[in-house]
Amino acid sequence: MRFQEDSIDCVDFILKKDEVLTIILGGGKGTRLLPLTEKRSKPAVSFGGKYRLIDIPISNSLNSGFEKIFILTQFNSYSLNRHINRTYATNNIHQKSFVEIIAAEQTVSSANWFEGTADAVRKVLPYIREQKPKYVLILSGDQLYNMDLSDFMQSHLMDPETEISVATNAIPEDQIYGLGIVKSGVGGFIQEFIEKPQEVTQVESCRTKQGNFLANMGIYIFNTSTLIDVLEDCNMADFGKEILPKAIRERKVKAYTYDGYWEDIGTIKAFYEANLMLTDHIPKFNLYLEKTPIYTRARALPPSKIIQAVVNQALISEGTILNQCEVHRSIIGVRQLIASGTKIYDSIIMGLDHYGYFDRKSGKIPIGIGPNCEIRRTIVDKDCAIGANVRLLNEQNLQEYEDEYIRIREGIIVVPRHTAIPDGYSI
């Protein structure tokens, strides 16, 4: 269901889509996703072969009819800026729809960078005021979900007393650690909020009738006047740790339960598993829903060429050339070249930004994956040159390791961007 500029049955309000401003939080340094975030911000990390993580929240907002979007970022923002400009640039002369980046900046009133989620929004309040929205929708830039945000907005507006709404997702007991847990009461208003509990006893009172718990998704709706009040009234830096617990004591804060798939992609393991899940016969996150597409940059690339290759349960992006190789339960990114005799299992090969060669002092090396390699449980970042007879297997089952060519994080091999692995390398 989407909001239009006419009335909605059983709801005594009218909402115009340009009354909602979406703010997407670009995240911090993304240290838990290193080395994928060494040269780019977390929302700019490639996902699903052809997308970036930032495409998920932007697409959710656009598909829900909310087309005024600010993206807040400060770390390694060039790649993200370029992607946004090439993907979402509009020629709307009235400027009623836009997707724009606001990077952290020094001003007369503040010489500091963003110091938390709430602090980031506080520092861009002048830009929010310029838009004059009635409501501000706050999303995270590194989560995976396909959510009709207009349903969330409807829930917020159903009760005129609601000042803040928090999207929640039901999770089992073993997943409560590291998340904010809420307890809702009459009318769905939140009675308790415990951020990142250490023991289940801390949140036992929050257990639902079904035996699970409601986790804060980091997705919020604020009445704009309320947002300005809570941010200007204090110097608190974070929504989950500080703003929400205080607001629950003083204001009407409502919980909205989203019952679909949701994943917070904060670690290498979570990123790896979320990507490979896309290859499942019926994935929990479905890229093939016609009414809610995931938008990304349109590239003028040729079709994929597959020459006597074995491909099983894989996503193959456009512009790839698979020559007499095997690909099993893996994701192959755009323009990727895989030579004959190579076997790839349970891996994410992010692809290439261009066809050609990898320049090194020793000479030009063809980018892509060379012949007769074997690659398992590996993430190969963009624009890598992997030589012939390379074995990326983690045969010793190492959990943490690094050398000149690769990193191992949580048992998963990661080849950093722009790495050239010589012939015969083995791990």
Side-chain angles (χ1 to χ4, degrees), residues 88-373:
Y88 301 100
T90 62
N91 296 314
N92 189 334
I93 194 169
H94 299 293
Q95 297 182 343
K96 290 184 178 180
S97 301
F98 56 81
V99 180
E100 296 180 358
I101 290 214
I102 303 179
E105 58 186 354
Q106 290 185 325
T107 65
V108 174
S109 59
S110 176
N112 298 322
W113 283 26
F114 300 151
E115 297 174 2
T117 54
D119 184 67
V121 177
R122 180 185 295 110
K123 285 186 168 71
V124 301
L125 282 177
Y127 302 108
I128 295 174
R129 286 190 169 101
E130 285 180 6
Q131 297 299 323
K132 299 181 174 62
K134 286 187 178 180
Y135 310 98
V136 176
L137 172 64
I138 298 176
L139 308 178
S140 173
D142 54 4
Q143 296 178 344
L144 189 59
Y145 60 96
N146 195 335
M147 178 178 177
D148 187 347
L149 296 167
S150 63
D151 283 347
F152 183 27
M153 181 62 71
Q154 181 182 9
S155 172
H156 179 81
L157 298 178
M158 285 292 289
D159 192 320
E161 292 187 345
T162 304
E163 298 175 86
I164 304 169
S165 286
V166 179
T168 66
N169 190 251
I171 61 171
E173 181 178 315
D174 61 354
Q175 295 180 15
I176 64 172
Y177 311 103
L179 297 171
I181 304 301
V182 306
K183 177 184 179 180
S184 62
V186 178
F189 289 107
I190 297 177
Q191 298 174 333
E192 290 184 59
F193 182 91
I194 298 94
E195 177 72 357
K196 297 182 179 178
Q198 300 300 309
E199 302 288 343
V200 69
T201 53
Q202 294 177 256
V203 293
E204 192 59 50
S205 63
C206 302
R207 194 184 292 272
T208 68
K209 292 180 180 179
Q210 292 73 33
N212 51 29
F213 297 86
L214 296 180
N216 173 21
M217 296 172 63
I219 297 175
Y220 312 109
I221 295 173
F222 283 81
N223 296 347
T224 303
S225 58
T226 301
L227 179 67
I228 293 171
D229 285 348
V230 299
L231 292 180
E232 291 189 335
D233 185 48
C234 67
N235 292 318
M236 294 179 179
D238 190 85
F239 282 114
K241 293 177 183 177
E242 299 166 311
I243 295 291
L244 283 182
K246 183 175 186 293
I248 288 167
R249 296 191 298 269
E250 301 173 356
R251 299 176 181 273
K252 292 291 188 177
V253 182
K254 189 176 183 180
Y256 169 83
T257 301
Y258 170 63
D259 58 6
Y261 171 80
W262 170 74
E263 179 65 46
D264 185 11
I265 301 177
T267 66
I268 289 292
K269 184 177 180 180
F271 175 82
Y272 172 82
E273 292 178 346
N275 270 272
L276 288 193
M277 173 267 295
L278 299 176
T279 70
D280 291 346
H281 181 60
I282 303 178
K284 295 178 182 177
F285 181 81
N286 195 342
L287 295 172
Y288 300 90
L289 300 177
E290 185 175 354
K291 294 183 178 179
T292 55
I294 305 300
Y295 304 105
T296 194
R297 178 185 168 194
R299 298 174 174 88
L301 288 174
S304 295
K305 183 185 292 186
I306 301 175
I307 305 168
Q308 294 182 321
V310 175
V311 179
N312 176 40
Q313 197 176 340
L315 301 185
I316 310 297
S317 303
E318 59 265 40
T320 58
I321 299 177
L322 309 185
N323 183 23
Q324 296 179 318
C325 58
E326 294 185 24
V327 178
H328 302 271
R329 194 171 178 259
S330 296
I331 294 177
I332 309 300
V334 296
R335 298 187 187 89
Q336 187 64 55
L337 310 177
I338 303 177
S340 62
T342 287
K343 298 179 180 181
I344 298 174
Y345 300 85
D346 303 308
S347 294
I348 302 161
I349 316 297
M350 289 189 177
L352 310 172
D353 282 336
H354 59 87
Y355 298 111
Y357 294 88
F358 187 98
D359 290 317
R360 293 192 67 142
K361 293 180 180 179
S362 59
K364 289 186 175 181
I365 304 171
I367 56 177
I369 299 177
N372 302 314
C373 297

Side-chain angles (χ1 to χ4, degrees), residues 25-30 42-43 72-75 141-142:
L25 302 172
K29 293 182 179 179
K42 188 158 51 170
L72 310 189
T73 187
Q74 64 184 345
F75 295 104
D142 54 4

